[in-house]
Amino acid sequence: MVTDPDTDSRRRDGEDARPPRRGVGPLIDSLPGQLLMVTLGLIAVGVALVYFPAAAGFRHQWMSDRAEAAHLAALAADVAPGGALGEDEVRALLMGADAVAVSRVRDGMNELVLYSGPIGEALVESDLRTAGWPTHIRDTVEVLFAPPGRLLRIRAEPMGAPGETIDVIVRETPLRAELHAFSRRLLLYAGIGSVLIGAAIYGALFYLFVRPMRRLASAMTRFREDPADPARVIRPSGSRTEIGRAEAELARMQADIRQALQQRERLAALGGAVAKINHDLRNVLASAQLVSDRLATEDDARVRTMGERLVRAVDRGIRLCEATLQYGRAEETPPVRAAVPARALLDEVVADAGLSATNVSWDNRLGEDLILDADPDQAHRIFLNLCRNAIQAMQEHDGPGALSADARCEDGQAIIEIRDTGPGLPPKARERLFEAFSGSARKGGTGLGLSIARELARAHGGDVELVESGEAGTAFAVRLPVA
């Protein structure tokens, strides 16, 4: 199957390869659209919660009024002269009560009081004495959609005659018509009120939540398009809410990203410069290597010793130059481990750090039997960075200094402490001590030494840590595996 590279690229970048949806799609996918849908849904729910109980109450009151009217008609029939009513009087009383027939139960006796003739229409019943509100709401919905021409039988207890039951049959069509009219009025007023309240709620939520969230999303998108543009960094509103704190954190994160990008650009430029310098420096070291080789073959033992040390230093410099570009491109060369006598290594490191030309004393407390399992060149670089920093710090401090090394073994690793009597590290330098170009405590320093030392130690499965730093001096601990 053949795939479109542009489509694959868009999918890898997290973009939808499908064309943008039209219609309600963008509306539903946006915060204002979702808020609008939620608001409309809540308005509909609110109207329903108001309408159905109110309509059921209207129907209940209508039936109660018909039952009271039927009770009054029955009382009028009781006081009729002679105890009997003619057809015209019965018809008049039924019309006054809007009833088809009226009966009652009194003293356990069921009595038909008013009756206009046979009933052939469909008949539904409602007992106001026992029906609850769920039943009334259900029956109200049924009335709204009922076919015309039905009769309604109502059973109720009159207010003026406790213990008596009035049973009246009325036509349902007037109830249906009045319920429809009531529904139209109620829905109109409730709809207007709900729209006004919903608009106020929508505006408040949009102003308080949606607008700041859209501002955050827009700021992220704009910053992603051009992170180097300082104008695209969000300006926090200063709000104390969670959204305000999110804006402040986003601003700090964008500033950190811009700083990291600028540092990456500087490192890239530095890498190009180092690449050019590295080529010429290797040629210079190659010439120095020829001279050092000749010194190493001199008959004078002192000159030969110095020549051998110079040979090792030049060889180490050449290897360092060869690894410089690899470090800039990726990481340090994996260590080639060998057995390294720790005491001799520290003595050589201190000599290469220029201790003899200073007023700093050296106390090597490591035992002869401490053998490290490490890359000789990388171990030399680790301790050289630490010792050189310590010597330079003590040189800048008035008075003589002292540099010492002590060691102990734990869990198959040697913990070698390099301690000096310098002025200590300032608090600002301790916060970012092992970060390149950030953790230097010396004016003009790059902060690369400790960063490189930690990276080399961790490549061996160890680490470099600051033990303490104060007016009495500074101590670093180097963890390296033992042979």
PDB file of all heavy atoms in Angstrom, residues 4 7 10 25 47 75 80 97 100 131 161 169 191 211 228 255 267 277 282 315 333 343 373 375 380 389 415 481:
ATOM      1  N   ASP A   4       0.921   8.582   1.546  1.00  0.00           N
ATOM      2  CA  ASP A   4       1.329   9.947   1.222  1.00  0.00           C
ATOM      3  C   ASP A   4       2.287  10.448   2.288  1.00  0.00           C
ATOM      4  O   ASP A   4       1.930  10.485   3.466  1.00  0.00           O
ATOM      5  CB  ASP A   4       0.080  10.842   1.180  1.00  0.00           C
ATOM      6  CG  ASP A   4       0.417  12.261   0.720  1.00  0.00           C
ATOM      7  OD1 ASP A   4       1.602  12.523   0.462  1.00  0.00           O
ATOM      8  OD2 ASP A   4      -0.515  13.088   0.624  1.00  0.00           O
ATOM      9  N   THR A   7       0.810  13.236   4.339  1.00  0.00           N
ATOM     10  CA  THR A   7      -0.210  12.772   5.281  1.00  0.00           C
ATOM     11  C   THR A   7       0.419  12.131   6.495  1.00  0.00           C
ATOM     12  O   THR A   7       0.020  12.368   7.641  1.00  0.00           O
ATOM     13  CB  THR A   7      -1.140  11.772   4.578  1.00  0.00           C
ATOM     14  OG1 THR A   7      -1.734  12.419   3.454  1.00  0.00           O
ATOM     15  CG2 THR A   7      -2.240  11.296   5.530  1.00  0.00           C
ATOM     16  N   ARG A  10       1.787  14.802   8.766  1.00  0.00           N
ATOM     17  CA  ARG A  10       0.754  15.464   9.570  1.00  0.00           C
ATOM     18  C   ARG A  10       0.297  14.572  10.696  1.00  0.00           C
ATOM     19  O   ARG A  10       0.037  15.037  11.807  1.00  0.00           O
ATOM     20  CB  ARG A  10      -0.421  15.856   8.679  1.00  0.00           C
ATOM     21  CG  ARG A  10      -0.132  17.034   7.756  1.00  0.00           C
ATOM     22  CD  ARG A  10      -1.429  17.594   7.190  1.00  0.00           C
ATOM     23  NE  ARG A  10      -2.147  16.609   6.388  1.00  0.00           N
ATOM     24  CZ  ARG A  10      -1.998  16.469   5.086  1.00  0.00           C
ATOM     25  NH1 ARG A  10      -1.134  17.232   4.439  1.00  0.00           N
ATOM     26  NH2 ARG A  10      -2.683  15.556   4.419  1.00  0.00           N
ATOM     27  N   GLY A  25     -19.826  20.540  13.826  1.00  0.00           N
ATOM     28  CA  GLY A  25     -18.587  19.965  14.323  1.00  0.00           C
ATOM     29  C   GLY A  25     -17.683  20.972  15.008  1.00  0.00           C
ATOM     30  O   GLY A  25     -17.311  20.800  16.163  1.00  0.00           O
ATOM     31  N   VAL A  47     -36.678  24.073  32.426  1.00  0.00           N
ATOM     32  CA  VAL A  47     -38.062  24.294  31.971  1.00  0.00           C
ATOM     33  C   VAL A  47     -38.908  23.058  32.223  1.00  0.00           C
ATOM     34  O   VAL A  47     -40.068  23.142  32.663  1.00  0.00           O
ATOM     35  CB  VAL A  47     -38.065  24.684  30.483  1.00  0.00           C
ATOM     36  CG1 VAL A  47     -39.484  24.675  29.924  1.00  0.00           C
ATOM     37  CG2 VAL A  47     -37.437  26.060  30.294  1.00  0.00           C
ATOM     38  N   LEU A  75     -76.019  19.271  46.564  1.00  0.00           N
ATOM     39  CA  LEU A  75     -76.710  19.926  47.667  1.00  0.00           C
ATOM     40  C   LEU A  75     -77.961  20.648  47.189  1.00  0.00           C
ATOM     41  O   LEU A  75     -79.007  20.650  47.869  1.00  0.00           O
ATOM     42  CB  LEU A  75     -75.760  20.917  48.359  1.00  0.00           C
ATOM     43  CG  LEU A  75     -74.563  20.309  49.105  1.00  0.00           C
ATOM     44  CD1 LEU A  75     -73.690  21.403  49.692  1.00  0.00           C
ATOM     45  CD2 LEU A  75     -75.045  19.354  50.204  1.00  0.00           C
ATOM     46  N   ALA A  80     -84.387  20.540  46.766  1.00  0.00           N
ATOM     47  CA  ALA A  80     -85.422  20.792  45.754  1.00  0.00           C
ATOM     48  C   ALA A  80     -86.805  20.579  46.370  1.00  0.00           C
ATOM     49  O   ALA A  80     -86.991  19.650  47.171  1.00  0.00           O
ATOM     50  CB  ALA A  80     -85.222  19.869  44.553  1.00  0.00           C
ATOM     51  N   ALA A  97     -72.437  22.648  36.743  1.00  0.00           N
ATOM     52  CA  ALA A  97     -71.262  21.940  37.250  1.00  0.00           C
ATOM     53  C   ALA A  97     -70.370  21.424  36.135  1.00  0.00           C
ATOM     54  O   ALA A  97     -69.353  20.770  36.421  1.00  0.00           O
ATOM     55  CB  ALA A  97     -71.706  20.779  38.131  1.00  0.00           C
ATOM     56  N   VAL A 100     -71.560  15.506  33.467  1.00  0.00           N
ATOM     57  CA  VAL A 100     -72.468  14.600  32.745  1.00  0.00           C
ATOM     58  C   VAL A 100     -73.300  13.821  33.736  1.00  0.00           C
ATOM     59  O   VAL A 100     -74.487  13.559  33.503  1.00  0.00           O
ATOM     60  CB  VAL A 100     -71.649  13.659  31.842  1.00  0.00           C
ATOM     61  CG1 VAL A 100     -72.558  12.626  31.177  1.00  0.00           C
ATOM     62  CG2 VAL A 100     -70.878  14.447  30.789  1.00  0.00           C
ATOM     63  N   ALA A 131     -54.364   9.457  44.563  1.00  0.00           N
ATOM     64  CA  ALA A 131     -53.331   9.641  43.534  1.00  0.00           C
ATOM     65  C   ALA A 131     -52.219  10.545  44.060  1.00  0.00           C
ATOM     66  O   ALA A 131     -52.479  11.563  44.711  1.00  0.00           O
ATOM     67  CB  ALA A 131     -53.935  10.229  42.262  1.00  0.00           C
ATOM     68  N   ALA A 161     -67.721  18.554  53.308  1.00  0.00           N
ATOM     69  CA  ALA A 161     -68.349  17.315  53.778  1.00  0.00           C
ATOM     70  C   ALA A 161     -67.303  16.244  53.976  1.00  0.00           C
ATOM     71  O   ALA A 161     -67.158  15.332  53.147  1.00  0.00           O
ATOM     72  CB  ALA A 161     -69.416  16.846  52.779  1.00  0.00           C
ATOM     73  N   ILE A 169     -68.721  12.752  36.653  1.00  0.00           N
ATOM     74  CA  ILE A 169     -68.225  12.457  35.302  1.00  0.00           C
ATOM     75  C   ILE A 169     -68.334  13.735  34.489  1.00  0.00           C
ATOM     76  O   ILE A 169     -69.412  14.338  34.402  1.00  0.00           O
ATOM     77  CB  ILE A 169     -69.034  11.327  34.642  1.00  0.00           C
ATOM     78  CG1 ILE A 169     -68.888  10.035  35.457  1.00  0.00           C
ATOM     79  CG2 ILE A 169     -68.556  11.108  33.208  1.00  0.00           C
ATOM     80  CD1 ILE A 169     -69.729   8.894  34.922  1.00  0.00           C
ATOM     81  N   GLY A 191     -39.747  30.067  29.285  1.00  0.00           N
ATOM     82  CA  GLY A 191     -38.699  30.138  28.266  1.00  0.00           C
ATOM     83  C   GLY A 191     -37.978  31.467  28.279  1.00  0.00           C
ATOM     84  O   GLY A 191     -36.749  31.531  28.204  1.00  0.00           O
ATOM     85  N   ARG A 211     -12.965  32.376  28.276  1.00  0.00           N
ATOM     86  CA  ARG A 211     -12.060  33.347  27.668  1.00  0.00           C
ATOM     87  C   ARG A 211     -10.620  33.160  28.140  1.00  0.00           C
ATOM     88  O   ARG A 211      -9.687  33.148  27.317  1.00  0.00           O
ATOM     89  CB  ARG A 211     -12.544  34.770  27.960  1.00  0.00           C
ATOM     90  CG  ARG A 211     -11.815  35.824  27.127  1.00  0.00           C
ATOM     91  CD  ARG A 211     -12.323  37.206  27.408  1.00  0.00           C
ATOM     92  NE  ARG A 211     -11.933  37.660  28.742  1.00  0.00           N
ATOM     93  CZ  ARG A 211     -11.997  38.926  29.146  1.00  0.00           C
ATOM     94  NH1 ARG A 211     -12.474  39.848  28.327  1.00  0.00           N
ATOM     95  NH2 ARG A 211     -11.641  39.261  30.361  1.00  0.00           N
ATOM     96  N   ALA A 228      11.114  31.493  19.298  1.00  0.00           N
ATOM     97  CA  ALA A 228      12.186  32.470  19.464  1.00  0.00           C
ATOM     98  C   ALA A 228      11.674  33.899  19.547  1.00  0.00           C
ATOM     99  O   ALA A 228      12.417  34.801  19.935  1.00  0.00           O
ATOM    100  CB  ALA A 228      13.191  32.349  18.311  1.00  0.00           C
ATOM    101  N   ALA A 255       9.555  31.006  29.016  1.00  0.00           N
ATOM    102  CA  ALA A 255      10.844  31.681  29.199  1.00  0.00           C
ATOM    103  C   ALA A 255      11.984  30.663  29.305  1.00  0.00           C
ATOM    104  O   ALA A 255      13.067  30.871  28.733  1.00  0.00           O
ATOM    105  CB  ALA A 255      10.792  32.561  30.444  1.00  0.00           C
ATOM    106  N   LEU A 267      25.531  26.919  21.903  1.00  0.00           N
ATOM    107  CA  LEU A 267      26.338  25.693  21.896  1.00  0.00           C
ATOM    108  C   LEU A 267      26.640  25.233  20.477  1.00  0.00           C
ATOM    109  O   LEU A 267      27.730  24.718  20.199  1.00  0.00           O
ATOM    110  CB  LEU A 267      25.603  24.595  22.671  1.00  0.00           C
ATOM    111  CG  LEU A 267      25.532  24.760  24.187  1.00  0.00           C
ATOM    112  CD1 LEU A 267      24.686  23.664  24.806  1.00  0.00           C
ATOM    113  CD2 LEU A 267      26.935  24.755  24.786  1.00  0.00           C
ATOM    114  N   ILE A 277      38.959  24.914  15.828  1.00  0.00           N
ATOM    115  CA  ILE A 277      40.137  24.979  16.704  1.00  0.00           C
ATOM    116  C   ILE A 277      40.749  23.592  16.896  1.00  0.00           C
ATOM    117  O   ILE A 277      41.966  23.416  16.967  1.00  0.00           O
ATOM    118  CB  ILE A 277      39.746  25.593  18.058  1.00  0.00           C
ATOM    119  CG1 ILE A 277      39.296  27.044  17.854  1.00  0.00           C
ATOM    120  CG2 ILE A 277      40.875  25.516  19.054  1.00  0.00           C
ATOM    121  CD1 ILE A 277      38.727  27.677  19.103  1.00  0.00           C
ATOM    122  N   ARG A 282      45.204  19.836  17.140  1.00  0.00           N
ATOM    123  CA  ARG A 282      45.796  18.502  16.982  1.00  0.00           C
ATOM    124  C   ARG A 282      47.140  18.577  16.253  1.00  0.00           C
ATOM    125  O   ARG A 282      48.068  17.819  16.544  1.00  0.00           O
ATOM    126  CB  ARG A 282      44.828  17.593  16.236  1.00  0.00           C
ATOM    127  CG  ARG A 282      43.746  17.014  17.124  1.00  0.00           C
ATOM    128  CD  ARG A 282      42.916  15.971  16.401  1.00  0.00           C
ATOM    129  NE  ARG A 282      42.162  16.563  15.303  1.00  0.00           N
ATOM    130  CZ  ARG A 282      41.404  15.860  14.463  1.00  0.00           C
ATOM    131  NH1 ARG A 282      41.330  14.548  14.584  1.00  0.00           N
ATOM    132  NH2 ARG A 282      40.741  16.459  13.509  1.00  0.00           N
ATOM    133  N   ASP A 315      49.707  13.027  24.956  1.00  0.00           N
ATOM    134  CA  ASP A 315      48.838  11.951  24.460  1.00  0.00           C
ATOM    135  C   ASP A 315      47.408  12.141  24.947  1.00  0.00           C
ATOM    136  O   ASP A 315      46.445  11.930  24.193  1.00  0.00           O
ATOM    137  CB  ASP A 315      49.374  10.589  24.922  1.00  0.00           C
ATOM    138  CG  ASP A 315      50.660  10.207  24.200  1.00  0.00           C
ATOM    139  OD1 ASP A 315      50.920  10.806  23.132  1.00  0.00           O
ATOM    140  OD2 ASP A 315      51.374   9.326  24.705  1.00  0.00           O
ATOM    141  N   THR A 333      32.770   9.276  25.002  1.00  0.00           N
ATOM    142  CA  THR A 333      33.097   7.931  24.537  1.00  0.00           C
ATOM    143  C   THR A 333      32.915   6.937  25.686  1.00  0.00           C
ATOM    144  O   THR A 333      33.295   7.235  26.823  1.00  0.00           O
ATOM    145  CB  THR A 333      34.545   7.890  24.047  1.00  0.00           C
ATOM    146  OG1 THR A 333      34.721   8.876  23.034  1.00  0.00           O
ATOM    147  CG2 THR A 333      34.892   6.517  23.491  1.00  0.00           C
ATOM    148  N   ARG A 343      45.837   5.942  44.386  1.00  0.00           N
ATOM    149  CA  ARG A 343      46.795   6.865  45.010  1.00  0.00           C
ATOM    150  C   ARG A 343      47.731   7.481  43.967  1.00  0.00           C
ATOM    151  O   ARG A 343      47.924   8.710  43.950  1.00  0.00           O
ATOM    152  CB  ARG A 343      47.610   6.127  46.072  1.00  0.00           C
ATOM    153  CG  ARG A 343      48.599   7.021  46.805  1.00  0.00           C
ATOM    154  CD  ARG A 343      49.384   6.229  47.851  1.00  0.00           C
ATOM    155  NE  ARG A 343      50.354   7.095  48.512  1.00  0.00           N
ATOM    156  CZ  ARG A 343      50.087   7.870  49.561  1.00  0.00           C
ATOM    157  NH1 ARG A 343      48.868   7.879  50.079  1.00  0.00           N
ATOM    158  NH2 ARG A 343      51.027   8.628  50.101  1.00  0.00           N
ATOM    159  N   ASP A 373      38.271   0.399  39.077  1.00  0.00           N
ATOM    160  CA  ASP A 373      37.910  -0.231  37.808  1.00  0.00           C
ATOM    161  C   ASP A 373      37.327   0.863  36.915  1.00  0.00           C
ATOM    162  O   ASP A 373      36.118   1.103  36.889  1.00  0.00           O
ATOM    163  CB  ASP A 373      36.889  -1.344  38.046  1.00  0.00           C
ATOM    164  CG  ASP A 373      36.488  -2.040  36.754  1.00  0.00           C
ATOM    165  OD1 ASP A 373      37.277  -1.996  35.780  1.00  0.00           O
ATOM    166  OD2 ASP A 373      35.375  -2.606  36.700  1.00  0.00           O
ATOM    167  N   ASP A 375      38.165   3.866  33.375  1.00  0.00           N
ATOM    168  CA  ASP A 375      38.957   4.300  32.224  1.00  0.00           C
ATOM    169  C   ASP A 375      40.039   5.243  32.745  1.00  0.00           C
ATOM    170  O   ASP A 375      39.725   6.252  33.387  1.00  0.00           O
ATOM    171  CB  ASP A 375      38.053   5.022  31.224  1.00  0.00           C
ATOM    172  CG  ASP A 375      38.786   5.377  29.948  1.00  0.00           C
ATOM    173  OD1 ASP A 375      39.770   6.136  30.034  1.00  0.00           O
ATOM    174  OD2 ASP A 375      38.358   4.935  28.867  1.00  0.00           O
ATOM    175  N   HIS A 380      41.231  10.322  35.201  1.00  0.00           N
ATOM    176  CA  HIS A 380      42.149  11.450  35.338  1.00  0.00           C
ATOM    177  C   HIS A 380      41.410  12.770  35.130  1.00  0.00           C
ATOM    178  O   HIS A 380      41.624  13.743  35.876  1.00  0.00           O
ATOM    179  CB  HIS A 380      43.285  11.293  34.313  1.00  0.00           C
ATOM    180  CG  HIS A 380      44.374  12.316  34.465  1.00  0.00           C
ATOM    181  ND1 HIS A 380      44.257  13.586  33.964  1.00  0.00           N
ATOM    182  CD2 HIS A 380      45.601  12.245  35.069  1.00  0.00           C
ATOM    183  CE1 HIS A 380      45.354  14.265  34.243  1.00  0.00           C
ATOM    184  NE2 HIS A 380      46.201  13.474  34.919  1.00  0.00           N
ATOM    185  N   ASN A 389      39.791  23.081  40.137  1.00  0.00           N
ATOM    186  CA  ASN A 389      38.853  24.056  40.697  1.00  0.00           C
ATOM    187  C   ASN A 389      39.221  24.402  42.130  1.00  0.00           C
ATOM    188  O   ASN A 389      39.182  25.569  42.541  1.00  0.00           O
ATOM    189  CB  ASN A 389      37.420  23.504  40.649  1.00  0.00           C
ATOM    190  CG  ASN A 389      36.866  23.454  39.241  1.00  0.00           C
ATOM    191  OD1 ASN A 389      37.412  24.091  38.326  1.00  0.00           O
ATOM    192  ND2 ASN A 389      35.789  22.712  39.047  1.00  0.00           N
ATOM    193  N   ILE A 415      34.511   5.597  47.539  1.00  0.00           N
ATOM    194  CA  ILE A 415      34.041   6.970  47.722  1.00  0.00           C
ATOM    195  C   ILE A 415      35.257   7.805  48.100  1.00  0.00           C
ATOM    196  O   ILE A 415      35.766   7.724  49.216  1.00  0.00           O
ATOM    197  CB  ILE A 415      32.954   7.053  48.810  1.00  0.00           C
ATOM    198  CG1 ILE A 415      31.783   6.134  48.446  1.00  0.00           C
ATOM    199  CG2 ILE A 415      32.481   8.490  48.984  1.00  0.00           C
ATOM    200  CD1 ILE A 415      30.709   6.082  49.514  1.00  0.00           C
ATOM    201  N   PRO A 481      33.652   2.507  40.745  1.00  0.00           N
ATOM    202  CA  PRO A 481      33.765   1.090  41.102  1.00  0.00           C
ATOM    203  C   PRO A 481      35.212   0.686  41.367  1.00  0.00           C
ATOM    204  O   PRO A 481      36.135   1.247  40.781  1.00  0.00           O
ATOM    205  CB  PRO A 481      33.178   0.372  39.886  1.00  0.00           C
ATOM    206  CG  PRO A 481      33.328   1.325  38.757  1.00  0.00           C
ATOM    207  CD  PRO A 481      33.189   2.701  39.359  1.00  0.00           C
TER     208      PRO A 481
END
